[in-house]
């Protein structure tokens, strides 16, 4: 089983401090703990990272793509703005499952578009921390991995 990279974008380091009605009460560290437990029960290895900087996300996606290792990506607000992340996924032929804690389609219209969805294998959103767990289950089950 290859390493599965879980990559988190801007402001996700604030989880658990505010807006629990939207994002739940777990911190990002709590989510990491849950994913590490799930991965280890399945004999899988994960990395779990967060950055507020778009370029970090681009670099990590490129590295995962080059290694042929799948990515679970919550790009935060960059989801709705970042052609650079779209290009990184495409350029590196990275296998990406896009996740969101909240149901972005039930929120402001500026959260509806995603630059990632067209180059992702799939999208899971609206289930809080469980969105990540469902994405990990999908990757572990060998979910179709679209090459962009
Ligand atoms: O629902 C998601 O997972 C999002 O990717 C979260 C992003 C948001 O910009 C996306 O539209 C949807 C926001 C990250 C968390 O921001 C916080 C801000 C204040 C307090 C706690 C979290």
């Amino acid at each position: 089983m290859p390493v599965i990279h879980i990559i988190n974008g801007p402001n996700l380091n604030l989880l658990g401090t505010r807006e629990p009605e939207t994002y739940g009460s777990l911190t990002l560290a709590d989510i990491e703990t849950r994913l590490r437990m799930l991965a280890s029960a399945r004999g899988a290895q994960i990395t779990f990272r967060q950055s507020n900087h778009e370029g970090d996300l681009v670099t990590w996606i490129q590295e995962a793509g080059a290694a042929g290792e799948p990515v679970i990506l919550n790009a935060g607000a960059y989801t709705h703005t970042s052609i650079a992340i779209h290009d990184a996924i495409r350029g590196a032929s990275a296998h990406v499952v896009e996740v969101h804690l909240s149901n972005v389609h039930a929120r402001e219209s500026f959260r509806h578009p995603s630059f990632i969805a067209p180059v992702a294998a799939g999208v899971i959103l609206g289930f809080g921390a469980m969105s990540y767990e469902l994405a990990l289950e999908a990757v572990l089950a060998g979910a179709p991995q679209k090459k962009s």
Side-chain angles (χ1 to χ4, degrees):
M1 166 63 64
V3 179
I4 300 161
H5 300 279
I6 300 156
I7 297 176
N8 296 281
N11 295 311
L12 285 157
N13 55 311
L14 299 178
L15 283 182
T17 63
R18 268 178 286 152
E19 303 189 35
E21 64 289 347
T22 306
Y23 298 119
S25 53
L26 295 181
T27 65
L28 198 60
D30 293 332
I31 294 174
E32 178 176 0
T33 299
R34 290 166 74 135
L35 292 174
R36 287 200 181 282
M37 284 172 63
L38 179 56
S40 113
R42 303 300 180 84
Q45 208 188 323
I46 63 167
T47 70
F48 192 99
R49 289 172 284 189
Q50 186 274 333
S51 176
N52 293 326
H53 303 282
E54 189 176 18
D56 288 339
L57 306 183
V58 166
T59 298
W60 296 339
I61 289 164
Q62 286 182 1
E63 289 171 355
E69 293 165 346
V71 174
I72 294 170
L73 175 64
N74 185 349
Y78 287 140
T79 303
H80 320 299
T81 64
S82 180
I83 298 169
I85 292 175
H86 173 106
D87 285 347
I89 296 168
R90 229 168 132 161
S93 294
H95 299 150
V96 171
V97 176
E98 175 183 348
V99 299
H100 298 284
L101 295 153
S102 63
N103 177 0
V104 291
H105 300 294
R107 301 182 63 195
E108 305 97 322
S109 57
F110 61 78
R111 296 187 200 276
H112 297 178
S114 168
F115 280 92
I116 295 163
V119 287
V123 183
I124 300 173
L125 56 88
F127 300 109
M130 196 188 291
S131 293
Y132 287 81
E133 293 167 16
L134 292 169
L136 185 53
E137 290 283 7
V139 171
L140 289 168
Q145 297 190 330
K146 177 180 166 186
K147 283 215 171 207
S148 318

